[in-house]
Structure formats: structure tokens, C-alpha cells
Amino acid sequence: MMAVLRRVASLKLTLAGMVLLAVGAGLSYGNPATMPVWVLVVPMALLALNLLAAIVSNTRINRRPGLLVFHLGLLGVVVLAAVGRLTHFEAHVELLQGTALSAAQLFDRREGPFHPDGLSGVDFVQGPFTVEYFPGIVRGATRSTVVLTDENGNRETRTIGDDTPLVLDGYRFYTTFNKGFAPVLTWIPDQGEQVTGAVHMPSYPLFDFRQDNTWTPPGGPQVKLWLSLETGLKEKEYWVLDGSKAHSTLVLNLGDRRFELKVGESLRLPGGVVRYERLSTWMGYKIFFDPTLKWMFIVAMVGVCGMGAHFWRCFGARFGDNPGGASAGEGQSVQSLEGRAA
């Protein structure tokens, strides 16, 4: 049994595992959607097995408490990293002010094969937000307001940002540079019920020169939309993006005809009437879930402490042997320690 463990603990197997892990990391660079997590998990499982065999079979590890704790910590980090890849979740979402999170709105979705889908239990409503900009349109702090409602109907307001995520059931919501404006429109068809929705314009102020999109009302013609904005943006001055202080004119192009609408105005189109209800904003979030991160930090710190204790013991014995002039007894102590290490 011990002979088998020594073969599994081989440094050649360690090298093979590390090469496979490097290849897997290269294939996973950029997190492509088509690349399975197994290109990382399999090498990590191989390295974990190799390390476990080394811990059990190598007396230079398992008979030194500090070194043993360090290797167990290293083993824990590898195992937790593999579990994290199998259960992780990442996605992006754009939330219109006043609307709740919906799984149907997610895009760029990535998840491990054993991800415990708990996002359906996460609920909050997007509120207003502000973003600071310094001269040169250098983005500063983002302050996004969200409203949470508990089981008893109590409402709680929180302010989150790029570095201050909203954490619900292990899912972390980070604001991103991706945010913008959205005209809210009501379509009143000649037949049927009216519907109200929003058209998200490209990110602002990144695409302040291209605030356009297309919209096709139910049963109506496709219309090209362009949003003329007055936000107070001055590239060389400090400025705060605040949707509540912005004004807009919505331009509709239907064929070779051009129409302009202010908030509250309506326009007849083939098949119905469109009314420009209000100007709203949307915020883009990055969603991240990995239940192993906290435990990985704890295990890593335990491993570091183990390594620290090991070096403290070794260097303490060495310095104690020759603090400025060696003594015969302390020299024997170090000689004995080195003999055990050999």
C-alpha cells in the first residue's frame, strides 16, 4: 500500500498535473462559453490526489506539525478551487429603474455543472443611481440604490457600487461601467390592449454620440429611435451622471419621415399610437457566485500559519544554536534536527 502511495506522490506526476493545469488555464482564458470546467477540474483533482499521497507517505511532511498543516492547507485550497469551478455562477444583467430582477434578463451566463440554482429566490428592485466623473470623463464612484423586501413586507434600501456588492443568498451583484438611459413607451394599438415597455439605449456616456436603437411595436412597423439628451456633461469638468436631472427628446424615423416627441407627447403610427411616457435609466450588473471563496481564504491562512510555525521552529533552533557564539549543547540540538530532516 505504501509503495502505491509513493508512486502516486511522485514528483513526475506533480509536474504532469501542473502542465495539464497550465494548459487548462490557457484554454479557459477569457472564460469562453464553450470550454468545459473539466479542463481545470481534472488537473486539480490529479494534483490533490498527488498531494494527499505525499502527505500520507512522506514522513518529512507528516511528522512535522507545521509542515503538515501547510500541506493540508495547500490540499484544501486545491480541493476548494475545484469545487468552486464546479459550482460557480457568473452572468450579467441590465435592470431598468423600478423593475425587479428576473432570471429571464440574464445574459453572458456561465455556470458549473453542479451549480445549486438559487437565483430564483433572489429579489430586489432597481432604484435610481448616480455616477461621478472627473475631468476627462474618468469614472469615479457609482452609487446605485436597490430596494429589498423581506417575507413580512418590510422594505430595506441599500446603496451598492463597483466595490460594495449586494450579497443575497451567496450571489454578489457588482455595478459595472455599463449603464444608460431608456425611453419608456406605451403602445396603444388600433385593436387589442395597450402595452408599456422601455427601449435600452447604448451605454452612456461611453456612446453619448450614438444613443439609437430600433423598436417594433406589436403589430406595428419597425421604427428607428434616437435619443437627444441634455445631461450637463462637460468633458473637462467634474460631473455627476444623474438620470433624474436629464432631459430628452425622442426622435422617431419611419422610412424617410422624421418625428420628435417630448415626454408626454404621442404620435400616430401605422397600426396604433405611441406615447413617450418618461425618460428612465438602466444599470448593468455583474453577478458572481462561488461558495468556496470564504473557506478558501480561511484554509489558505491556516496553511500560511503552518508554514510560519515550521520556519519559526527551524530558524528558532538555528538562531538558538548560534546567537553570537555557538554553545556545545545548542549545536548538538541543531545537528540532531538536521539529522532527522535528512
Side-chain angles (χ1 to χ4, degrees):
M1 182 64 181
M2 193 57 68
V4 174
L5 287 175
R6 290 196 178 97
R7 288 188 177 183
V8 177
S10 165
L11 289 177
K12 293 180 180 178
L13 192 60
T14 306
L15 180 61
M18 295 183 70
V19 170
L20 288 175
L21 184 60
V23 172
L27 293 173
S28 302
Y29 182 75
N31 201 16
T34 56
M35 189 56 60
V37 296
W38 299 109
V39 298
L40 291 172
V41 173
V42 170
M44 285 191 280
L46 179 63
L47 288 171
L49 185 64
N50 173 255
L51 184 56
L52 178 61
I55 293 172
V56 174
S57 63
N58 193 329
T59 56
R60 288 180 296 182
I61 296 176
N62 57 41
R63 290 186 180 179
R64 298 178 179 181
L67 209 54
L68 175 61
V69 170
F70 169 74
H71 281 83
L72 288 176
L74 188 60
L75 175 62
V77 168
V78 175
V79 171
L80 287 171
V83 173
R85 284 294 85 193
L86 292 171
T87 58
H88 84 287
F89 177 88
E90 293 181 49
H92 289 84
V93 66
E94 295 178 0
L95 286 182
L96 183 73
Q97 182 178 340
T99 62
L101 174 70
S102 170
Q105 298 173 303
L106 303 184
F107 59 95
D108 291 341
R109 184 168 177 155
R110 308 277 192 279
E111 60 186 298
F114 300 123
H115 168 63
D117 189 6
L119 194 62
S120 57
V122 176
D123 185 28
F124 67 90
V125 175
Q126 176 63 46
F129 64 85
T130 60
V131 185
E132 289 182 304
Y133 282 90
F134 297 96
I137 314 184
V138 178
R139 190 165 69 96
T142 296
R143 296 180 178 84
S144 179
T145 303
V146 296
V147 180
L148 288 70
T149 304
D150 63 18
E151 298 176 350
N152 299 321
N154 299 318
R155 293 161 60 90
E156 179 186 358
T157 300
R158 296 188 189 178
T159 301
I160 61 178
D162 291 1
D163 302 320
T164 309
L166 172 68
V167 184
L168 295 174
D169 293 347
Y171 292 89
R172 308 173 74 89
F173 294 80
Y174 295 89
T175 58
T176 68
F177 71 91
N178 197 28
K179 76 284 179 192
F181 291 92
V184 178
L185 307 175
T186 293
W187 174 248
I188 308 170
D190 293 337
Q191 296 180 347
E193 297 182 356
Q194 68 179 38
V195 292
T196 299
V199 180
H200 290 203
M201 293 298 178
S203 183
Y204 189 89
L206 181 62
F207 297 108
D208 65 324
F209 57 91
R210 206 185 70 188
Q211 291 296 298
D212 57 5
N213 207 335
T214 58
W215 171 61
T216 304
Q222 185 183 70
V223 181
K224 293 182 180 179
L225 303 179
W226 178 66
L227 194 61
S228 176
L229 290 167
E230 297 177 11
T231 62
L233 170 62
K234 295 179 181 179
E235 296 186 7
K236 297 182 180 180
E237 297 181 9
Y238 174 81
W239 167 67
V240 176
L241 173 59
D242 186 346
S244 65
K245 298 179 180 178
H247 302 280
S248 65
T249 299
L250 183 63
V251 180
L252 299 88
N253 290 289
L254 181 62
D256 57 354
R257 293 182 296 172
R258 182 179 187 277
F259 308 94
E260 291 187 359
L261 289 181
K262 294 288 187 181
V263 172
E265 294 182 339
S266 301
L267 174 68
R268 166 154 289 281
L269 297 175
V273 174
V274 59
R275 183 170 65 230
Y276 184 14
E277 298 287 357
R278 59 187 171 87
L279 178 65
S280 188
T281 55
W282 59 268
M283 170 55 72
Y285 290 95
K286 179 181 180 180
I287 309 172
F288 182 78
F289 175 88
D290 188 339
T292 67
L293 289 183
K294 179 179 69 175
W295 295 108
M296 192 179 296
F297 175 77
I298 295 174
V299 170
M301 289 300 101
V302 170
V304 169
C305 290
M307 178 57 76
H310 174 70
F311 281 120
W312 179 268
R313 182 169 177 266
C314 292
F315 291 140
R318 187 175 297 276
F319 293 150
D321 171 65
N322 188 16
S327 67
E330 292 167 339
Q332 290 173 355
S333 174
V334 172
Q335 185 178 8
S336 175
L337 177 64
E338 291 176 344
R340 289 198 300 273

